């Protein structure tokens, strides 16, 4: 079994979904989570608050500094993710297809070998 | 058979089999290369089944290598290799392994450039400089593409398997596209000599393998038929001076009759299934061109209409316009080309130039020939276009 991160992204300036669209998305995401758990693919997952609630912590010469805002200065920020375990990429892509239909484009990224011994 | 031809014929099969046994493409390649090096030293004359000899030797090499390494994975892999109760002692290359490897190399999660490079390397046995020459890219670029693709296969867990039947509609097209691309680059090379018989031959060999492995997929048969019928006309494509000869002017007695017969048989076989796809229709068009002494243009146009309905690409629209010109005249064809947009592709202005010439609009035709010649990357094609331009003042020969 391999572990994969399926991440969903929030794009600054993109139109905000309507309440109805949000409700549909939550409902379908709930269904996917249930199916992942039933199939034994689920490891962990969840949605994140907006990037303006992020804080970056750095340590320089043993001194920690904190700064407000996300690490990456981009318009695209991670908005939510799943960690799943699957036999191979094709199985992960099949889950990603369902997730993408519910939440928009999904990036599928395998964990490295050391993290999934 | 000499070792070089054995290498070309068996490399892909052996790597495919070793990949199944070892579950690792890099290890499989190393083991097969080791075995060929051993063969070079040991063979006075090649054994009756060179592929089986290579696989057995490569497998023993891999076991030795795994013994020397002491990691847990290596011991595990070694145990798997040593305990294959169902397998005969002499392991021959298994064709299904190649099919699995083709689908792995052409997985949609890999970039299209990487798919072609990897297929040529792992299944065709071409080395990096050969692939770089075929696609006019730097060797370092090809090497990097291959390394990255193999790493992604391993890290992302791209499975080494043939997709299930319901997945084939999505998964087969990239495989067919790679073989088609390989053949086309051989048939009309981007630069250098116009025709590269090695690439054409390799694409046909792999298409034949695929057709043997998937005899029930009509598009696979369609692709093979298309390649065979195109290849059949190759001997007539250049005149003794190395100049390009268009289809209408080709000496049909030079065409390869046995390839044509085989291609026609395949076209009939796949069309009987009544699941027409782009490759089958293109094969049918090629079959019409190679049937009889002249081309039945209304039939070709009807097939292009069908192809255009199925795959409305600008290239199909361009080729369809050539058939329109033969059936309805150059003015109608020119109008059909108005909305076709193919930036940088020399065949669009080249076709417009021919049509304009036929309409007697010589000045516009000359300008279009100039445009086409400037865009053509192959010297043989450029020379042809320049020749056509200078011939403009002479009487138009029907084609």
């Amino acid at each position: 079994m391999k572990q994969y991160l399926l991440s969903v992204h929030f794009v600054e300036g993109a139109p905000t979904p309507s309440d109805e669209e949000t409700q549909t998305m939550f409902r379908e995401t709930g269904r996917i989570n249930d199916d992942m758990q039933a199939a034994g693919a689920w490891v962990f997952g969840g949605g994140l608050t907006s990037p303006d609630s992020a804080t970056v912590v750095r340590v320089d010469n043993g001194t920690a500094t904190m700064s407000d805002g996300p690490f990456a200065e981009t318009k695209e920020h991670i908005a939510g993710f799943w960690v799943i375990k699957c036999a191979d990429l094709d199985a992960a892509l099949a889950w990603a297809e369902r997730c993408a239909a519910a939440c928009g484009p999904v990036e599928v990224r395998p964990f490295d070998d050391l993290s999934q011994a | 058979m000499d070792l070089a031809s054995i290498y070309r014929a068996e490399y892909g099969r052996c790597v495919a089999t070793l990949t199944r046994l070892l579950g690792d493409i890099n290890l499989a390649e190393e083991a097969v290369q080791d075995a060929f090096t051993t063969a070079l030293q040991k063979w006075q004359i090649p054994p009756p089944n060179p592929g089986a000899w290579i696989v057995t030797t490569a497998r023993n090499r891999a076991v030795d290598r795994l013994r020397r390494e002491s990691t847990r994975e290596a011991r595990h892999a070694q145990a798997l290799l040593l305990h294959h109760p169902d397998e005969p002692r002499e392991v021959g290359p298994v064709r299904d392994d190649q099919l699995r490897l083709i689908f792995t190399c052409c997985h949609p999660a890999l970039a299209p450039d990487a798919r072609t490079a990897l297929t040529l390397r792992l299944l065709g046995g071409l080395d990096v400089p050969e692939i770089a020459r075929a696609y006019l890219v730097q060797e370092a670029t090809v090497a990097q593409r291959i390394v990255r693709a193999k790493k992604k296969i391993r890290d992302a867990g791209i499975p080494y398997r043939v997709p299930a039947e319901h997945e084939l509609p999505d998964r087969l097209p990239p495989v067919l596209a790679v073989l088609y691309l390989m053949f086309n680059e051989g048939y009309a090379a981007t630069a250098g000599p116009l025709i590269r018989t090695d690439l054409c031959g390799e694409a046909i060999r792999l298409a034949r393998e695929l057709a043997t492995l998937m005899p029930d997929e009509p598009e696979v048969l369609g692709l093979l038929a298309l390649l065979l019928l195109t290849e059949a006309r190759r001997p007539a494509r250049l005149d003794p001076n190395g100049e390009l000869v268009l289809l209408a002017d080709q000496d049909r007695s030079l065409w390869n009759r046995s390839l044509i017969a085989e291609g026609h048989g395949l076209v009939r076989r796949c069309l009987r299934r009544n699941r027409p796809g782009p490759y089958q229709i293109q094969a049918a068009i090629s079959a019409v061109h190679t049937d009889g002494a002249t081309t039945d243009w209304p039939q070709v146009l009807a097939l292009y209409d069908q192809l255009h309905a199925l795959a409305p690409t600008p290239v199909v629209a361009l080729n369809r316009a050539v058939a329109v010109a033969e059936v309805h005249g150059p003015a109608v064809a020119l109008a059909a080309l108005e909305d076709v947009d193919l930036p940088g592709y020399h065949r669009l202005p080249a076709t417009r130039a021919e049509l304009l010439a036929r309409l007697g609009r010589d000045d516009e035709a000359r300008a279009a020939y100039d445009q086409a010649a400037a865009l053509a990357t192959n010297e043989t094609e450029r020379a042809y276009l320049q020749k056509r331009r200078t011939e403009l003042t002479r009487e138009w020969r029907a084609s």
Side-chain angles (χ1 to χ4, degrees):
Chain A
M1 288 295 222
K2 287 183 91 69
Q3 290 189 356
Y4 298 87
L5 171 73
L6 312 188
S7 56
V8 179
H9 301 264
F10 156 81
V11 181
E12 264 176 51
T16 356
S18 69
D19 284 353
E20 200 184 327
E21 284 167 333
T22 312
Q23 286 308 314
T24 314
M25 194 172 91
F26 281 165
R27 222 176 17 249
E28 186 48 31
T29 308
R31 232 177 260 143
I32 296 170
N33 293 346
D34 292 345
D35 290 350
M36 281 177 176
Q37 278 161 11
W42 169 274
V43 178
F44 183 69
L48 301 173
T49 55
S50 70
D52 52 24
S53 60
T55 310
V56 175
V57 180
R58 286 185 172 79
V59 177
D60 291 312
N61 300 321
T63 311
T65 52
M66 280 166 221
S67 55
D68 176 44
F71 172 73
E73 289 176 25
T74 62
K75 284 185 176 306
E76 295 90 12
H77 299 283
I78 188 163
F81 64 89
W82 288 267
V83 176
I84 61 171
K85 51 178 193 286
C86 292
D88 55 43
L89 182 66
D90 283 353
L93 294 176
W95 287 114
E97 197 178 317
R98 282 192 63 186
C99 298
C103 310
V106 166
E107 181 182 304
V108 179
R109 215 160 142 190
F111 278 74
D112 67 20
D113 290 337
L114 295 172
S115 317
Q116 49 186 351
Chain B
M1 240 214 289
D2 63 314
L3 193 63
S5 3
I6 292 173
Y7 181 88
R8 183 51 61 84
E10 300 291 343
Y11 184 86
R13 297 180 204 186
C14 296
V15 168
T17 298
L18 264 294
T19 303
R20 170 171 55 82
L21 294 172
L22 298 165
D24 183 313
I25 290 172
N26 278 324
L27 268 184
E29 272 203 294
E30 281 168 23
V32 170
Q33 276 157 15
D34 277 358
F36 271 104
T37 310
T38 311
L40 192 63
Q41 295 153 356
K42 286 203 171 160
W43 288 356
Q44 304 297 326
I45 48 158
N49 187 346
W53 190 98
I54 293 290
V55 166
T56 306
T57 308
R59 181 167 153 176
N60 293 339
R61 282 304 170 96
V63 172
D64 288 346
R65 187 184 286 256
L66 291 166
R67 271 194 186 128
R68 285 196 305 270
E69 294 165 10
S70 56
T71 63
R72 191 162 57 102
E73 287 96 302
R75 281 199 302 277
H76 183 66
Q78 184 198 331
L80 277 180
L81 272 179
L82 291 170
H83 300 101
H84 265 282
D86 301 336
E87 245 156 338
R89 277 177 60 86
E90 184 87 340
V91 193
V94 184
R95 291 186 143 183
D96 278 354
D97 293 335
Q98 268 197 297
L99 192 55
R100 276 195 278 271
L101 194 55
I102 286 199
F103 278 100
T104 309
C105 291
C106 298
H107 196 282
L110 298 172
D113 286 344
R115 290 177 208 158
T116 328
L118 205 57
T119 305
L120 284 170
R121 175 75 205 107
L122 296 182
L123 290 138
L126 267 66
D127 59 23
V128 167
E130 285 175 312
I131 300 167
R133 266 203 308 280
Y135 292 101
L136 295 178
V137 281
Q138 299 287 320
E139 284 182 26
T141 311
V142 171
Q144 196 184 34
R145 270 179 203 162
I146 291 175
V147 167
R148 268 203 203 142
K150 286 200 275 194
K151 191 171 179 308
K152 179 155 185 186
I153 289 171
R154 198 194 58 211
D155 291 349
I158 290 179
Y160 177 58
R161 68 178 174 89
V162 178
E165 188 130 4
H166 71 273
E167 296 168 305
L168 280 182
D170 289 336
R171 293 298 172 83
L172 195 52
V175 173
L176 300 177
V178 159
L179 300 184
Y180 186 56
L181 191 73
M182 201 186 285
F183 183 86
N184 276 345
E185 185 56 33
Y187 198 72
T190 314
L194 184 69
I195 303 171
R196 303 186 34 138
T197 46
D198 54 337
L199 273 186
C200 291
E202 203 46 48
I204 288 176
R205 188 179 73 76
L206 291 171
R208 273 191 199 284
E209 290 283 332
L210 200 62
T212 313
L213 298 160
M214 309 189 101
D216 295 326
E217 288 299 326
E219 277 290 89
V220 176
L221 301 182
L223 175 73
L224 176 59
L226 174 61
L227 301 192
L228 294 175
L229 292 170
T230 312
E231 172 73 7
R233 305 198 305 253
R234 183 169 56 77
R237 210 156 151 253
L238 295 177
D239 69 12
N241 302 321
E243 286 180 20
L244 195 63
V245 186
L246 287 202
L247 180 63
D249 305 321
Q250 287 176 3
D251 177 357
R252 293 181 174 225
S253 69
L254 296 175
W255 290 356
N256 185 325
R257 301 320 306 181
S258 69
L259 288 184
I260 289 175
E262 191 186 353
H264 282 210
L266 283 165
V267 169
R268 280 193 295 274
R269 210 174 114 201
C270 61
L271 289 180
R272 264 206 301 274
R273 292 177 186 266
N274 207 19
R275 276 163 53 201
Y279 292 110
Q280 292 173 73
I281 300 172
Q282 287 184 79
I285 292 169
S286 275
V288 177
H289 281 309
T290 47
D291 192 26
T294 53
T295 294
D296 177 350
W297 284 105
Q299 207 187 339
V300 169
L301 181 56
L303 287 165
Y304 268 120
D305 287 340
Q306 203 186 345
L307 181 60
H308 195 257
L310 210 62
T313 68
V315 173
V316 171
L318 171 62
N319 291 331
R320 183 182 165 275
V322 174
V324 168
E326 299 302 326
V327 179
H328 300 299
V332 184
L334 206 54
L337 280 182
E338 252 163 39
D339 295 331
V340 179
D341 188 27
L342 279 165
Y345 189 41
H346 69 278
R347 281 203 47 228
L348 178 58
T351 305
R352 289 191 64 244
E354 295 286 338
L355 297 173
L356 288 164
R358 282 201 223 179
L359 289 166
R361 290 156 66 176
D362 285 6
D363 288 345
E364 290 166 86
R366 269 186 214 102
Y369 274 125
D370 286 342
Q371 205 187 342
L375 289 173
T377 51
N378 189 284
E379 201 44 59
T380 308
E381 284 180 303
R382 186 177 313 139
Y384 174 83
L385 292 164
Q386 283 158 348
K387 191 177 115 199
R388 296 287 305 149
R389 187 193 189 281
T390 57
E391 280 174 354
L392 259 187
T393 42
R394 292 173 222 165
E395 197 187 349
W396 169 255
R397 286 175 304 134
S399 66

